[in-house]
Amino acid sequence: MKPSLRDRHAVAVSVDCLVFGYDEGQLRVLLIQRRRPPFEGRWAIPGGFVEDGETLHQAATRELAEETGIRKVFLEELQVFDAVDRDPRGRVLSVAFLALVKPSGLKLVAASDAVRAAWFVLEEVPELAFDHRGILDAGLQRLRADLLRRPIGLELLPRKFTLGQLQRLYEVILNRAFDVSNFRKKILGLGVLQPTQDYETDVAHRAARLYTFDLASYRSLMANGFRAF
Amino acid sequence: MKPSLRDRHAVAVSVDCLVFGYDEGQLRVLLIQRRRPPFEGRWAIPGGFVEDGETLHQAATRELAEETGIRKVFLEELQVFDAVDRDPRGRVLSVAFLALVKPSGLKLVAASDAVRAAWFVLEEVPELAFDHRGILDAGLQRLRADLLRRPIGLELLPRKFTLGQLQRLYEVILNRAFDVSNFRKKILGLGVLQPTQDYETDVAHRAARLYTFDLASYRSLMANGFRAF
DNA sequence: CCAAAAGTGTTCACGGTACACCCATGC
DNA sequence: GCATGGGTGTACCGTGAACACTTTTGG
């Protein structure tokens, strides 16, 4: 690149990964505690600057692994945050990503710029660094909208799950109740769930059948269009 | 900003405005012919580099005015395009915006980096510069999805319009037919259209009533959620 | 036996779809 | 009077909402 182009139009670009996880019947956000200024010690959404030669998606994946130890997650562009004064160091443009992780094997390993990494229930999220509260709000809105349009909720559940778990996930995230019978009919009618031969164990009531997500029929469903509720 | 931050993480950032217009029963895209390399003489989506101290939205508005003379339009973030080799000059990250303009008073004034500015029907769009074909495809998909979710189509029509015009707009963009009676019922049932006392003139059939868009009820509709078809 | 959640069936109301029909205007 | 598109009414069907009921398991 000629120096002129970079000098005249350069902007520092960072990525921020808003990570949602679902565990113990609760939707949780992954936050890190900042090791360095600005906002040293304050909780924030994991992220960092884009390096030369990597795409934003790659940068987001890398930062997530570095700061929290999380790998292999669903990761999708959310929105750009570009208020000119959003970073006290100067003009920094941030591309926010929305990430969804399965609860199984969630071993958080804080490192790099992060002192700690921890999951927070929405109601207990502390004051955040930068404009990260805005990112969280935007991401939550997007998650709720997406849940109704595509089987994105499955990214938050283990490989095998019961319909009860899935229903509770919908109820918790959308903050509304569903009729058991109607929920089953609707979800199974979509044809994206594959029943297995396995059942729940050690529960104080009739054991529920476990289902898995059927990728093939998911694709054909998306090709057409899909609408839950 | 400390030099170190800018030097190490700076990326050239541009905005591109994908502008759709609807006229004579056709959906059209606004393109400009590039005055300078790279891709000199090639048609492209209007856009340019972000200047210091302006937001992306401001930059998009400015570039659109400079290159085409268009002002006051609906303008919304579409998506970031960040392939590392998308610009032969080096790493340039582009934030694409989706713009919708009303056909009335469309005076195109090419200037700045643009030799010409012109409207193209989708089928006649030539080969485009950079990855602009991808931006166009993404924007079209977004426009179609949005049309079903919110009364965005009204941004493409003049202030007063007939239900027939609106229906044709939906049919052209979504490439499917709607039953006249059902379309009227559905749209009017939403309550976002205000009937006026005016009618079409000089048509070889019964004159159609003109409607306007009611912003107030639109807001309450969005607050809840809305679904056309 | 009881509590608790899985799982099934039935009824009802609403909204989308299809289609038939009348109205107004220019040529 | 005929073609053209505006505008209205109705009958049917599928889907979602509400709810009653049975099944299985642990305590």
Side-chain angles (χ1 to χ4, degrees):
Chain A
M1 188 190 308
K2 279 186 291 185
S4 62
L5 186 65
R6 182 163 192 157
D7 288 354
R8 287 185 45 222
H9 305 292
V11 177
V13 175
S14 72
V15 290
D16 286 308
C17 296
L18 176 60
V19 187
F20 285 117
Y22 178 79
D23 208 10
E24 296 170 29
Q26 290 276 296
L27 183 67
R28 294 183 153 86
V29 202
L30 179 59
L31 298 176
I32 59 140
Q33 194 171 20
R34 292 177 59 82
R35 180 183 298 280
R36 283 185 259 276
F39 297 101
E40 183 178 353
R42 185 80 71 88
W43 289 92
I45 292 170
F49 289 100
V50 177
E51 304 287 348
D52 277 349
E54 66 181 358
T55 64
L56 296 175
H57 198 283
Q58 286 164 354
T61 309
R62 177 180 51 75
E63 287 287 346
L64 206 54
E66 284 178 12
E67 294 187 341
T68 70
I70 288 183
R71 285 160 219 283
K72 288 184 186 172
V73 299
F74 172 89
L75 192 68
E76 214 176 53
E77 182 185 331
L78 176 60
Q79 196 187 312
V80 180
F81 287 79
D82 68 334
V84 287
D85 60 350
R86 61 179 295 282
D87 192 314
R89 290 167 294 187
R91 186 70 194 274
V92 176
L93 195 144
S94 171
V95 182
F97 280 76
L98 178 65
L100 303 178
V101 307
K102 300 179 192 296
S104 54
L106 273 185
K107 282 183 192 151
L108 297 185
V109 183
S112 184
D113 293 336
V115 180
R116 291 190 283 171
W119 291 100
F120 286 81
V121 178
L122 289 182
E123 296 76 33
E124 294 169 5
V125 169
E127 201 182 339
L128 299 179
F130 305 104
D131 54 359
H132 286 187
R133 180 72 223 185
I135 298 181
L136 174 56
D137 291 338
L140 200 55
Q141 240 186 298
R142 173 78 137 260
L143 176 63
R144 288 186 175 130
D146 273 11
L147 210 53
L148 301 177
R149 285 197 251 292
R150 37 198 263 236
I152 203 177
L154 301 161
E155 297 289 343
L156 291 166
L157 289 176
R159 208 176 66 80
K160 294 182 178 184
F161 53 88
T162 70
L163 291 183
Q165 288 176 303
L166 184 61
Q167 180 173 348
R168 271 186 296 280
L169 182 144
Y170 269 82
E171 293 181 333
V172 165
I173 296 180
L174 296 175
N175 195 31
R176 66 180 258 217
F178 290 94
D179 178 272
V180 194
S181 172
N182 299 331
F183 186 87
R184 296 176 65 83
K185 266 182 288 186
K186 177 70 189 180
I187 294 287
L188 291 178
L190 293 175
V192 293
L193 296 191
Q194 204 72 44
T196 70
Q197 296 313 309
D198 302 339
Y199 289 82
E200 268 183 322
T201 50
D202 301 317
V203 284
H205 53 79
R206 177 171 171 183
R209 182 187 279 274
L210 296 177
Y211 289 81
T212 56
F213 174 47
D214 179 24
L215 189 64
S217 45
Y218 165 74
R219 295 214 193 285
S220 72
L221 190 64
M222 282 295 85
N224 305 321
F226 143 78
R227 223 182 249 163
F229 314 102
Chain B
M1 191 190 307
K2 278 186 291 184
S4 61
L5 185 65
R6 182 163 194 158
D7 287 354
R8 287 186 45 223
H9 306 292
V11 176
V13 174
S14 71
V15 290
D16 285 308
C17 296
L18 176 60
V19 187
F20 286 117
Y22 177 78
D23 208 8
E24 295 170 30
Q26 291 276 297
L27 183 66
R28 294 184 151 87
V29 203
L30 180 58
L31 299 176
I32 58 141
Q33 195 171 20
R34 292 177 59 83
R35 180 184 298 280
R36 285 184 257 275
F39 297 102
E40 183 178 354
R42 187 80 71 87
W43 289 93
I45 292 170
F49 288 100
V50 177
E51 303 288 348
D52 278 350
E54 65 181 359
T55 64
L56 296 175
H57 197 282
Q58 286 164 354
T61 308
R62 177 180 52 74
E63 287 287 347
L64 205 53
E66 283 179 11
E67 294 187 342
T68 69
I70 288 182
R71 285 159 217 285
K72 289 185 185 173
V73 299
F74 172 91
L75 192 67
E76 215 176 53
E77 182 185 332
L78 175 60
Q79 197 187 309
V80 180
F81 288 80
D82 68 333
V84 288
D85 59 350
R86 60 178 295 281
D87 192 314
R89 290 168 293 187
R91 185 71 195 275
V92 176
L93 194 145
S94 172
V95 182
F97 279 77
L98 178 65
L100 304 178
V101 307
K102 299 178 192 296
S104 55
L106 275 185
K107 283 182 194 154
L108 296 185
V109 183
S112 183
D113 292 336
V115 180
R116 290 190 284 171
W119 291 100
F120 287 80
V121 177
L122 290 181
E123 297 76 33
E124 295 169 4
V125 169
E127 202 182 337
L128 299 179
F130 304 104
D131 55 359
H132 286 187
R133 180 73 223 185
I135 298 181
L136 174 56
D137 291 339
L140 199 55
Q141 239 186 299
R142 173 78 138 260
L143 175 63
R144 287 185 176 132
D146 272 12
L147 210 53
L148 302 177
R149 284 198 253 291
R150 37 198 261 238
I152 202 176
L154 300 160
E155 297 288 342
L156 291 166
L157 288 176
R159 207 177 66 80
K160 293 182 178 184
F161 52 89
T162 70
L163 291 182
Q165 287 177 304
L166 185 61
Q167 181 173 348
R168 274 187 295 278
L169 181 143
Y170 270 82
E171 293 181 333
V172 165
I173 296 180
L174 297 175
N175 194 32
R176 67 180 255 217
F178 290 93
D179 179 273
V180 193
S181 172
N182 300 330
F183 187 86
R184 297 176 63 83
K185 266 182 290 186
K186 177 71 188 178
I187 294 287
L188 291 177
L190 293 175
V192 293
L193 296 191
Q194 204 72 42
T196 71
Q197 297 312 310
D198 302 339
Y199 289 82
E200 267 184 322
T201 49
D202 302 316
V203 285
H205 54 78
R206 176 171 170 184
R209 183 187 279 272
L210 296 176
Y211 289 81
T212 56
F213 174 47
D214 180 24
L215 188 64
S217 45
Y218 165 73
R219 295 214 192 286
S220 71
L221 189 65
M222 282 296 85
N224 304 320
F226 145 79
R227 225 182 245 162
F229 314 103

